[in-house]
Amino acid sequence: MEALRIISEEHQNFWRIAITLEQVADEIDAGAPVDPVFFQSVFEYIEQFADYAHHLKEDDYLFRLMRLRSAESASLIDALQEDHRQASLHLEAMKAEFANASAGNQSALTESLRDYCRRLKTHIQTEETKAMPLARQVLLEQDWAEIDSKFLDNRDPVFGDQAQIRFRQLYHRVVSFAPESVGLGAHSSGVLQANTAPGMGDVLLKVTGLESSYGRIKALKGLNLEVRRGETVALVGANGAGKTTLLRTLSGVQPMGAGQIVFDGADISRVRSDQRMRRGICQSPEGRQVFGPLSIEDNLYLGAYTQPKHQVPEDLEKVYAMFPILKEKRKLPAGTLSGGQQQMLAIGRALMGRPKLLLLDEPSMGLAPLLVQEVFNVVKALKAQGMTIILAEQNAFAALALADRGYVLETGDIILTGSGKDLIHNEQVRAAYLGM
Ligand SMILES: Nc1ncnc2c1ncn2[C@@H]1O[C@H](COP(=O)(O)OP(=O)(O)OP(=O)(O)O)[C@@H](O)[C@H]1O
Ligand SMILES: [Mg+2]
């Protein structure tokens, strides 16, 4: 039933877009200008992702087979498919209202936006609470095999890998152009470059028997962990499990009591944190920790202080291409950035150190809904470029969904490890961390 997980994930994205549009509608009603570039990016995203891919996928596979297996499902499916048709028409209507809005009639646009969002949310709720449970009930094993193989077909032109990259780019545009209150608020969208992922390499990091304490309290109790080159590894676990302590012990800012850390073929257990950074362990810390009074550009330079000077301008441009808002605001104090922009700065600063291993500590924490997905898109883009990443996240479901492997931490020790997919389906994990 991977298909249902994928559908639910897409629903979450639509929901985030809906919340954002509602907020933007409020702001327009309160006198904010209608930004044409933002709206065009939203329309394009909806058209390409919702109408062209998401609805089509449901109609052609899930709904078709549900009709076949259960006569009672017909009226429900009829209504949902009618929603799909109406949504396309509604999009055209919104575009027309948007064209009128430039002539001064903005209330019709905001009304149309709110109506669209209301219907979208109702539709998602119906699918989640009625259609998906019914599908679980009536579809047979062979149906799921057919649906899942289609949903997971990486070469499919409508929703395979290449299409996913295109959708992420479209989403990135929406986030960049969204007003600062809900997105990044840039005026040039930049690129979220993503090549195809390279295969896994040799072991880059090997941790054995790692201990670390705060006074007499042992926060890490002798844990073992391994990360291969090119891998994305998720660290999940409840508050206080030790995720942050583990990442800080790896980067060397937190002293270790016992154990060994081997990185890139060398024992770095006794190596200072600045030397670890020079060797390529770069961290985006919990709570971002950007230097508020310093300019954005100086914050980025700080991330490169272990690097040879001549490569810095080029790296700076790469970070700016990824996060155009940082370029626009480069001379301003970092403290003036919104939460989402600060998170991008914290990631950008870590990238300036040319990481061989990137440590991300709760990058989605405390962000507006639209930006939560954007952070995961950024991680996906970095992963696709071949970056090795350890991602600590309270958002366990999303982190495990994109990770190759995951470790589950509980009170300073690893209690479970496996592929991201296996952990998502693990009963223990679902009960403890996914709230299911
Ligand atoms: N500065 C500190 N002084 C004393 N104890 C600390 C300190 N920081 C963390 N701890 C303790 O160490 C343990 C691990 O905390 P840690 O912050 O590493 O967990 P975490 O998994 O990152 O949690 P969260 O999800 O809240 O970020 C907890 O019991 C915590 O209370
Ligand atoms: Mg933490």
Side-chain angles (χ1 to χ4, degrees):
M1 297 181 196
E2 277 294 288
L4 295 188
R5 182 183 64 74
I6 293 170
I7 290 177
S8 280
E9 227 176 81
E10 295 184 355
H11 282 164
Q12 282 180 19
N13 291 355
F14 290 137
W15 198 272
R16 288 171 178 139
I17 294 272
I19 295 171
T20 305
L21 286 178
E22 285 170 343
Q23 196 169 334
V24 168
D26 288 346
E27 288 176 10
I28 291 173
D29 283 347
V34 175
D35 176 1
V37 186
F38 168 66
F39 277 101
Q40 263 138 19
S41 67
V42 168
F43 295 150
E44 201 179 337
Y45 177 80
I46 294 177
E47 192 167 308
Q48 300 252 340
F49 189 40
D51 294 345
Y52 183 56
H54 179 83
H55 293 166
L56 194 80
K57 217 160 39 166
E58 289 179 343
D59 289 346
D60 287 0
Y61 300 98
L62 189 66
F63 292 168
R64 177 175 58 78
L65 286 164
M66 284 174 75
R67 281 183 194 280
L68 195 67
R69 299 293 172 208
S70 146
E72 299 99 89
S73 70
S75 63
L76 175 64
I77 305 282
D78 284 345
L80 290 172
Q81 291 193 305
E82 182 56 23
D83 284 350
H84 288 177
R85 276 187 292 275
Q86 291 299 328
S88 304
L89 298 176
H90 200 135
L91 178 65
E92 292 311 313
M94 274 197 301
K95 282 184 186 168
E97 297 299 357
F98 163 73
N100 290 335
S102 45
N105 187 6
Q106 304 187 338
S107 62
L109 172 63
T110 54
E111 204 173 302
S112 181
L113 281 173
R114 287 207 185 82
D115 191 29
Y116 185 87
C117 294
R118 201 163 36 236
R119 287 164 189 248
L120 176 60
K121 284 173 152 182
T122 311
H123 177 78
I124 290 174
Q125 276 168 335
T126 311
E127 287 197 353
E128 292 278 339
T129 60
K130 297 209 174 92
M132 287 160 74
L134 187 63
R136 284 194 185 90
Q137 229 176 45
V138 301
L139 293 182
L140 309 177
E141 200 136 319
Q142 75 234 43
D143 300 333
W144 286 117
E146 183 187 339
I147 298 172
D148 285 349
S149 79
K150 205 58 210 177
F151 272 57
L152 294 169
D153 179 2
N154 294 334
R155 288 154 312 168
D156 189 288
V158 179
F159 42 81
D161 278 349
Q162 289 307 313
Q164 292 301 326
I165 289 171
R166 199 171 64 242
F167 300 146
R168 280 205 289 280
Q169 299 278 10
L170 289 169
Y171 190 94
H172 182 60
R173 278 172 55 87
V174 172
V175 177
S176 293
F177 291 132
E180 253 178 281
S181 54
V182 286
L184 295 177
H187 301 292
S188 57
S189 76
V191 281
L192 212 55
Q193 190 54 44
N195 316 317
T196 41
M200 297 310 150
D202 53 328
V203 173
L204 177 64
L205 175 78
K206 191 173 172 68
V207 172
T208 38
L210 189 66
E211 291 184 11
S212 185
S213 306
Y214 298 99
R216 273 185 301 186
I217 301 167
K218 219 178 246 184
L220 301 180
K221 299 174 181 164
L223 56 80
N224 304 311
L225 157 151
E226 205 176 83
V227 179
R228 306 186 82 82
R229 233 178 268 275
E231 240 186 349
T232 297
V233 170
L235 275 185
V236 302
N239 285 348
K243 304 181 293 293
T244 297
T245 307
L246 173 54
L247 293 188
R248 288 168 54 84
T249 309
L250 292 177
S251 63
V253 289
Q254 163 79 16
M256 57 188 270
Q260 191 189 41
I261 305 174
V262 175
F263 177 71
D264 209 9
D267 184 342
I268 58 159
S269 311
R270 306 227 159 351
V271 172
R272 282 202 325 256
S273 64
D274 58 324
Q275 292 296 327
R276 291 191 197 184
M277 192 169 153
R278 206 178 291 275
R279 288 168 188 251
I281 300 182
C282 304
Q283 183 166 15
S284 164
E286 186 174 79
R288 347 228 186 276
Q289 298 180 22
V290 302
F291 297 96
L294 287 188
S295 76
I296 284 142
E297 193 145 289
D298 285 344
N299 268 273
L300 290 171
Y301 279 129
L302 277 180
Y305 85 96
T306 57
Q307 297 299 307
K309 291 238 167 342
H310 66 89
Q311 73 188 31
V312 174
E314 181 193 330
D315 290 356
L316 198 59
E317 281 313 313
K318 278 191 196 154
V319 169
Y320 283 154
M322 204 163 183
F323 308 117
I325 187 65
L326 299 182
K327 183 168 192 174
E328 273 185 41
K329 300 197 165 194
R330 62 189 180 280
K331 300 290 178 221
L332 296 178
T336 60
L337 295 177
S338 68
Q341 293 163 351
Q342 288 192 14
Q343 184 57 57
M344 300 310 158
L345 177 57
I347 295 175
R349 184 180 54 189
L351 293 176
M352 289 299 289
R354 293 220 174 164
K356 281 185 189 153
L357 173 64
L358 179 64
L359 308 177
L360 299 174
D361 196 350
E362 308 254 16
S364 78
M365 186 194 273
L367 296 185
L370 190 68
L371 285 155
V372 173
Q373 181 55 36
E374 177 65 357
V375 162
F376 288 105
N377 282 343
V378 167
V379 178
K380 278 182 195 163
L382 294 171
K383 173 178 162 57
Q385 286 165 34
M387 183 73 74
T388 312
I389 302 166
I390 302 183
L391 171 66
E393 260 297 335
Q394 51 191 342
N395 213 322
F397 186 86
L400 290 171
L402 77 81
D404 301 300
R405 283 189 308 118
Y407 288 95
V408 181
L409 255 81
E410 203 173 280
T411 55
D413 215 346
I414 284 157
I415 56 155
L416 212 57
T417 177
S419 73
K421 207 184 274 178
D422 286 347
L423 290 178
I424 283 180
H425 291 115
N426 181 288
E427 291 300 326
Q428 210 180 338
V429 175
R430 293 177 82 84
Y433 304 105
L434 304 175
M436 290 170 173

